[in-house]
Amino acid sequence: MKITGKQHFVRAALVSVLVATTTAPQAASTSTAGMARRPNIVIILGDDLGFSDMGAFGGEIKTPNLDSLAKAGVRCTQFYTHASCSPTRSMLLSGVDTHRNGLGNMNEWIAPNQAGKPGYEGYLNTRVTTLPQLLKDSGYHTYMAGKWHMGNKPDLIPAARGFERDFALLDGAGSYWDMANFSATTPKSTFTEDGRYLKKLPDNYYATKTYTDKMIGFIEANRKDGKPFFAYVAHQAPHDPYHLPRDWRNRHVGEYDKGWDAVREERLKRQVDLGITPAGTELAERMWFVPDPIVLAPLARAFLGKKMELYAGMVENMDFHVGRLIDYLKKVGEYDNTIFIVFGDNGAEGADLFKMITGTPGTANYLFAAIEWSQTDPNAWGDPHSYVGYGPMWAQVSMTPFSQFKGNLAEGGIRNALIVSGPIVKRPKGSINNKSVLHVADLMPTLLEAAGASYPKTVNGQELPPLIGKSWVKTLAGEEESPRSAQDYLAWEVFGNRAVRQGDWKLRWQYKPYGTEEWELFNLATDWGERHDLAAQHPEKVKALLALWDDYVRVNNVILPNRLIWEGMAKAMPDRYPVFAGFPPLIYQRQFVPPTNLLADPKP
């Protein structure tokens, strides 16, 4: 959809023009009326970044640059993405539900009964338009650096989906140092730059640094033409493998030897002190298969703690490079006119992805991993050809105070820390919004409204699916408490797991071992950790939410998979029992020490 110069001038002047969403147009918001010129937009996306990792959300990890954006803007604590990366990214850029935009399931896990069905292409399909395309058509420069994971073919890469400039890793993960990938069938990662597939990477390549270098270069190249820009910085960090320069690896030596339970408790206390979580919030139950660190030998705690040290270094390194971008924008006078949006794409990663990819001895992938990813000595962790992930125990720490982690539809899989700053925010600087239930699909209507652009009904004669999100413009301006009414609901499905939330109530169904394969009901107003299933006490609420779930399935053509990521997992894991501190007493017993005044030597 091309816009003429005259139309562009009108839109630039009338920056409060509204987005055509699934409902009738609303009255113009006063919150955009005071912008002298259209704002720049920077989205900083952390890959598997946890809810509590940033200092501004209670983490002990040092993130001064991200925290500075929180202090200048607003933190939102009820923001939802999806449970895995490409589904989230597809909704971020399209504003359309995953089951309609092509990511009804991840490409890596499409089930036989989903293959070939509309909405299950495994890439961002061409029946949707994209946020960068609409912004580009309305006069923005559009830039992307980082991980794509929404299609590899020439008509699916960033340059074909609205990005004017790009430097992109097309795959879902990879080495931070080179093009090394993880399997015998896909030994090499694929990159593009400005729509061309790269034969090799730039000299001195390191993912987080190079993505930042490229984004600064893109902005600088066109800076003097006066056009606003949209910058999508989709970091790999802190996704495993934990690769980082040596001078970033030892900044938390020994800090995590105390174990995951202690760190979770410390993070929760800081969250309550900051106002992130309400006083009295219960931590989610420690995963039943994760040991109490108290019973581990000191060497085992130190070994596992080193993995968390590396993860913390990854987050701090990402924060450092975010700071470089912020400093650049301040230097060139664009910072004050830039909207910053920061969040993670899903819950923290608790699964052993490397084991899932490499498989079992005797397979080609296993042999490939043994040869190409052979740096297993802890002293080499972080180097090329090393692969480290931190496991479920630390993933739960990253998702404090929530239950579970990435891949699941518990809060720990889909609820993320959100920072918004810049001219769109009129709330007090450094404030915390605990009221608004927000969703990643809201970014399309929000940023179109802020940019003075609109969502068309058709593109190239093809009718577009309706947007599912709600604009945050009035909420960020303090003109309304939330963009959602008590009747609005959110719903999710991926890997066969499913959930629906309306108001404070959430209904959840998950496969074993992480779920019960029954519908569970939680009141999130008082139970952030999803510890108390209220389905038996409130059958009428279960029935009402099930009706919403059925509506979601019908509207979005949800096809539940007939093959599962969870197959065999319950049998391979310990039986699930409740976790109580100090149980069983047998393993916590300490040596009995008699009173000294009753000690005696044996009689002859």
Side-chain angles (χ1 to χ4, degrees):
M1 184 185 73
K2 292 294 183 182
I3 294 176
T4 66
K6 182 178 179 181
Q7 288 173 319
H8 178 211
F9 175 81
V10 171
R11 288 174 184 251
L14 300 175
V15 293
S16 59
V17 69
L18 291 180
V19 180
T21 63
T22 57
T23 60
Q26 304 170 16
S29 170
T30 60
S31 55
T32 58
M35 297 181 188
R37 58 193 178 99
R38 294 195 293 174
N40 307 311
I41 300 164
V42 174
I43 294 178
I44 298 169
L45 187 64
D47 197 346
D48 297 351
L49 181 69
F51 179 87
S52 70
D53 284 332
M54 292 183 284
F57 282 81
E60 73 292 329
I61 300 174
K62 298 175 179 62
T63 54
N65 297 295
L66 294 169
D67 295 350
S68 73
L69 296 177
K71 292 175 183 176
V74 61
R75 283 164 282 178
C76 302
T77 65
Q78 297 207 66
F79 170 68
Y80 287 95
T81 58
H82 219 307
S84 57
C85 42
S86 51
T88 291
R89 292 157 198 266
S90 71
M91 290 193 291
L92 187 168
L93 293 185
S94 74
V96 173
D97 185 79
T98 55
H99 302 89
R100 303 187 72 174
N101 70 28
L103 271 299
N105 202 343
M106 294 182 70
N107 178 60
E108 296 85 348
W109 292 102
I110 291 174
N113 67 319
Q114 296 170 333
K117 303 292 175 54
Y120 294 85
E121 292 86 355
Y123 54 80
L124 187 63
N125 65 40
T126 54
R127 293 189 300 278
V128 299
T129 190
T130 68
L131 176 61
Q133 186 63 59
L134 296 178
L135 291 176
K136 182 180 180 182
D137 291 345
S138 71
Y140 271 70
H141 289 300
T142 55
Y143 311 130
M144 187 255 173
K147 171 177 150 180
W148 180 243
H149 201 196
M150 288 181 290
N152 293 357
K153 294 181 179 178
D155 61 335
L156 303 173
I157 61 178
R161 305 314 303 265
F163 284 104
E164 175 186 342
R165 302 287 308 276
D166 75 275
F167 183 91
L169 167 67
L170 299 186
D171 303 282
S175 171
Y176 286 69
W177 297 111
D178 50 37
M179 284 183 160
N181 209 328
F182 305 132
S183 72
T185 52
T186 57
K188 185 177 179 182
S189 295
T190 307
F191 289 79
T192 61
E193 185 167 21
D194 295 342
R196 307 286 290 183
Y197 295 89
L198 291 181
K199 298 177 181 177
K200 62 179 183 177
L201 292 173
D203 293 339
N204 302 313
Y205 174 82
Y206 174 69
T208 314
K209 176 184 180 297
T210 302
Y211 297 154
T212 307
D213 291 343
K214 292 292 183 179
M215 183 56 71
I216 291 173
F218 294 160
I219 297 170
E220 179 62 21
N222 293 318
R223 177 171 60 85
K224 295 181 180 179
D225 68 6
K227 292 173 63 174
F229 62 82
F230 169 66
Y232 175 43
V233 189
H235 283 293
Q236 277 177 259
H239 194 296
D240 53 357
Y242 301 156
H243 285 171
L244 69 166
R246 288 185 175 269
D247 58 337
W248 287 91
R249 298 180 196 176
N250 299 311
R251 301 183 179 214
H252 293 268
V253 173
E255 184 174 338
Y256 297 106
D257 293 4
K258 68 186 82 171
W260 34 91
D261 284 0
V263 181
R264 265 213 308 165
E265 290 164 3
E266 291 167 357
R267 287 195 179 190
L268 178 60
K269 183 180 185 303
R270 282 193 295 271
Q271 288 177 334
V272 172
D273 291 344
L274 288 168
I276 296 296
T277 58
T281 297
E282 288 184 278
L283 281 173
E285 184 178 341
R286 184 189 343 114
M287 306 294 282
W288 73 97
F289 56 89
V290 170
D292 185 337
I294 292 175
V295 305
L296 296 180
L299 183 60
R301 287 206 306 271
F303 179 82
L304 295 171
K306 185 175 177 65
K307 295 185 176 185
M308 184 63 192
E309 293 172 22
L310 289 169
Y311 178 85
M314 293 285 291
V315 175
E316 291 183 355
N317 180 270
M318 183 182 78
D319 178 82
F320 169 78
H321 289 291
V322 169
R324 291 177 53 221
L325 178 58
I326 291 172
D327 289 344
Y328 163 76
L329 293 174
K330 287 180 177 179
K331 180 180 177 181
V332 299
E334 292 292 343
Y335 174 84
D336 290 335
N337 193 45
T338 299
I339 297 169
F340 290 90
I341 299 174
V342 180
F343 60 99
D345 64 345
N346 42 244
E349 179 60 85
D352 188 339
L353 288 179
F354 193 56
K355 184 177 180 180
M356 293 169 69
I357 295 168
T358 58
T360 56
T363 63
N365 284 349
Y366 191 90
L367 179 61
F368 177 86
I371 296 171
E372 298 298 330
W373 294 89
S374 59
Q375 299 303 307
T376 57
D377 188 304
N379 292 320
W381 287 356
D383 286 347
H385 307 289
S386 67
Y387 196 110
V388 181
Y390 64 178
M393 63 288 291
W394 296 117
Q396 272 206 283
V397 169
S398 286
M399 296 314 298
T400 302
F402 302 128
S403 174
Q404 304 180 17
F405 39 71
K406 178 181 175 181
N408 302 292
L409 293 181
E411 294 293 279
I414 56 177
R415 194 154 156 184
N416 286 270
L418 172 69
I419 296 170
V420 184
S421 72
I424 198 173
V425 179
K426 302 295 193 293
R427 288 171 175 260
K429 291 184 177 181
S431 61
I432 297 172
N433 180 352
N434 287 323
K435 301 289 186 182
S436 301
V437 177
L438 309 174
H439 191 269
V440 67
D442 299 341
L443 286 171
M444 173 74 96
T446 300
L447 296 177
L448 288 179
E449 182 173 351
S454 62
Y455 185 72
K457 292 183 178 181
T458 62
V459 168
N460 298 325
Q462 178 175 281
E463 185 173 351
L464 293 173
L467 297 179
I468 64 170
K470 307 281 187 177
S471 174
W472 303 342
V473 170
K474 289 185 178 180
T475 301
L476 293 172
E479 296 172 9
E480 62 182 15
E481 185 175 85
S482 175
R484 288 183 166 78
S485 71
Q487 286 70 46
D488 289 322
Y489 74 91
L490 298 174
W492 300 260
E493 185 277 328
V494 70
F495 312 137
N497 289 338
R498 56 214 83 152
V500 59
R501 176 174 177 173
Q502 184 183 49
D504 291 326
W505 292 97
K506 178 181 175 185
L507 194 64
R508 186 184 83 191
W509 193 104
Q510 295 195 136
Y511 280 102
K512 295 177 180 178
Y514 295 108
T516 63
E517 299 186 11
E518 301 284 346
W519 285 103
E520 300 171 278
L521 180 69
F522 303 99
N523 188 322
L524 298 179
T526 56
D527 186 15
W528 283 36
E530 293 172 292
R531 295 183 71 106
H532 309 287
D533 178 11
L534 303 176
Q537 292 97 308
H538 296 279
E540 76 292 343
K541 182 56 69 173
V542 173
K543 182 179 180 181
L545 292 175
L546 278 175
L548 297 179
W549 167 254
D550 290 340
D551 178 68
Y552 174 74
V553 170
R554 178 185 57 80
V555 170
N556 295 288
N557 190 33
V558 175
I559 303 171
L560 296 177
N562 62 357
R563 291 296 307 273
L564 302 168
I565 189 175
W566 319 106
E567 292 172 353
M569 192 178 293
K571 292 181 180 179
M573 296 174 70
D575 290 338
R576 184 171 182 174
Y577 297 103
V579 175
F580 293 100
F583 182 86
L586 171 68
I587 64 174
Y588 292 93
Q589 288 178 350
R590 295 292 183 264
Q591 176 66 47
F592 173 72
V593 179
T596 54
N597 64 325
L598 294 179
L599 293 174
D601 293 324
K603 294 180 179 180

